[in-house]
Amino acid sequence: MTETFYDVLRRQGITRRSFLKFCSLTATSLGLGSAAAPKIAYALENKPRTPVIWLHGLECTCCSESFIRSAHPLTKDVVLSMLSLDYDDTLMAAAGHQAEAIIEEVKKKYKGNYILAVEGNPPLNEDGMFCIHGGRPFVEILKETAADAKAIISWGSCASWGCVQAAKPNPS
Ligand code: SF4
């Protein structure tokens, strides 16, 4: 089961009192009034953190290299506390069929409610054969995963406009 924000905060040693103080301050600083504090607390206690699937197409992977070296916030805090990074084949321990099964599980369990982050691009020449993901063209995986995503983030130049893989005379 995906942890809630509250579970993560408690695991990190934040007291219930500090948590409620945080909810009150958040409600006030957003201009929502004190009546919103219990609603914020309820949401943080009950809603699972947003699951993220992070796919990799053709790329040099330096976008990930930049990400894992970030300091404000630290990558560990983003991955373990703020989001639920459920799939990233560069960072995760699972591989092969075990990793593929995680994508399917997130798609099914959080249909319409997960974020898809894409680093790298899906090459389109030769029916996408220049980038194979789990035995299939990456473009197919990307389309299937994008279909039920809540939001899609194109991470870096490769994902946004093709970068070196789209430059002539690259065949991909
Ligand atoms: S946009 Fe592409 S080439 Fe540039 S750092 Fe990211 S993965 Fe590497």
Side-chain angles (χ1 to χ4, degrees):
M1 197 183 118
T2 305
E3 283 182 308
T4 63
F5 277 103
Y6 183 66
D7 294 331
V8 173
L9 291 173
R10 294 291 284 158
R11 184 159 48 76
Q12 292 181 341
I14 307 291
T15 63
R16 174 88 186 153
R17 179 182 287 269
S18 295
F19 168 70
L20 293 176
K21 217 190 268 182
F22 166 77
C23 294
S24 300
L25 284 171
T26 304
T28 307
S29 52
L30 290 175
L32 299 173
S34 57
K39 290 180 186 167
I40 292 173
Y42 182 84
L44 292 174
E45 282 171 327
N46 292 286
K47 289 197 172 189
R49 287 173 301 143
T50 306
V52 177
I53 296 176
W54 187 330
L55 293 180
H56 296 258
L58 282 189
E59 53 163 340
C60 78
T61 318
C62 280
C63 284
S64 285
E65 293 286 340
S66 310
F67 171 67
I68 60 177
R69 282 162 181 74
S70 65
H72 297 287
L74 288 169
T75 307
K76 77 167 179 58
D77 291 335
V78 176
V79 172
L80 300 176
S81 305
M82 297 175 183
L83 300 168
S84 179
L85 183 58
D86 291 359
Y87 180 95
D88 182 334
D89 46 37
T90 305
L91 301 177
M92 67 201 296
H97 295 303
Q98 200 184 16
E100 299 302 314
I102 293 171
I103 297 185
E104 293 310 314
E105 189 187 323
V106 173
K107 273 166 43 184
K108 199 168 150 194
K109 200 166 160 192
Y110 299 100
K111 190 172 178 178
N113 283 309
Y114 59 86
I115 291 175
L116 170 62
V118 189
E119 181 180 337
N121 56 66
L124 302 176
N125 271 356
E126 308 286 347
D127 296 323
M129 298 308 284
F130 288 102
C131 185
I132 299 299
H133 188 291
R136 297 165 60 207
F138 176 62
V139 65
E140 285 182 16
I141 311 286
L142 180 59
K143 282 181 181 170
E144 287 170 12
T145 314
D148 292 321
K150 184 176 196 169
I152 302 170
I153 300 169
S154 296
W155 179 276
S157 299
C158 289
S160 301
W161 51 270
C163 204
V164 289
Q165 297 86 4
K168 288 182 181 173
N170 195 319
S172 58

